[in-house]
Amino acid sequence: LTRIGLNTGEMIVGNMGTPKKMDYTIMGQSVNLASRLEGVNKQYGTWILASQATRQEAGDSFAWRQLDRVKPVGMDVPVRLYELLDEKATTDASTLAAVEIFHKAQALFEARDWDKAAGLFEEVQRLLPGDGPAEVFLKRCRGFKEKPPADNWDGVFSLTMK
């Protein structure tokens, strides 16, 4: 199975190199972010992650799950992550219901209400057994309940792996 990172932005595409050694390639910061998101999937147990720029450009015909704001390795500006689930028209009702609960849980999480958020993430797990993002956030809720983040925590997670 393949994990995918999607990003939208300026990039350079074409044949690059010398007349003796030329390759068709793609370069730029936007490409680097897409590449980072591909790897970040592993940390969330997801298959397709997209940046906020891609989410906005893709429109509303897809089912999306909003995740964290993160700073990928080598990047200074936080990026909101979205999991691309399916075409909205073909997404089953239980998945859509679970995503709605997840979004409520995430809002509680970002408001530092660890107990209520954890309860909703557990509900997501009941609807979607083995759900990676719900597991990640549930572990964070439990960890933050034991040791809360600093008062100035802005909700951004710095990713440590590519």
Side-chain angles (χ1 to χ4, degrees):
L1 296 170
T2 301
R3 297 180 194 271
I4 298 170
L6 302 171
N7 187 38
T8 301
E10 292 186 19
M11 56 196 72
I12 299 169
V13 180
N15 287 317
M16 295 178 208
T18 66
K20 290 187 177 191
K21 182 165 178 148
M22 180 122 2
D23 270 332
Y24 188 82
T25 192
I26 186 167
M27 296 182 352
Q29 197 65 17
S30 295
V31 177
N32 293 342
L33 178 55
S35 176
R36 298 286 189 267
L37 295 182
E38 176 189 358
V40 171
N41 274 297
K42 293 176 193 169
Q43 296 176 48
Y44 289 93
T46 56
W47 297 103
I48 304 174
L49 281 180
S51 67
Q52 184 164 354
T54 298
R55 164 66 184 96
Q56 288 172 335
E57 290 294 322
D60 292 326
S61 60
F62 296 99
W64 300 92
R65 177 176 10 192
Q66 179 178 292
L67 299 175
D68 283 322
R69 285 185 311 128
V70 300
K71 285 185 188 173
V73 174
M75 303 200 173
D76 297 325
V77 179
V79 176
R80 175 66 78 177
L81 300 182
Y82 291 85
E83 179 186 14
L84 175 58
L85 299 167
D86 201 347
E87 290 181 89
K88 194 179 279 184
T90 60
T91 306
D92 64 89
S94 64
T95 299
L96 291 174
V99 167
E100 188 174 323
I101 294 166
F102 185 95
H103 288 157
K104 288 176 186 174
Q106 185 183 36
L108 290 167
F109 176 85
E110 290 180 357
R112 298 173 175 241
D113 192 339
W114 317 125
D115 287 329
K116 286 182 184 173
L120 290 178
F121 288 127
E122 288 170 348
E123 192 174 332
V124 171
Q125 287 184 316
R126 283 190 291 278
L127 291 170
L128 301 174
D131 184 64
E135 181 64 29
V136 167
F137 277 89
L138 189 54
K139 283 181 183 177
R140 288 180 184 170
C141 286
R142 291 173 179 153
F144 284 162
K145 187 174 178 189
E146 296 294 318
K147 185 179 181 216
D151 289 341
N152 65 348
W153 179 63
D154 60 2
V156 175
F157 287 89
S158 293
L159 300 175
T160 57
M161 300 185 312
K162 290 184 180 182

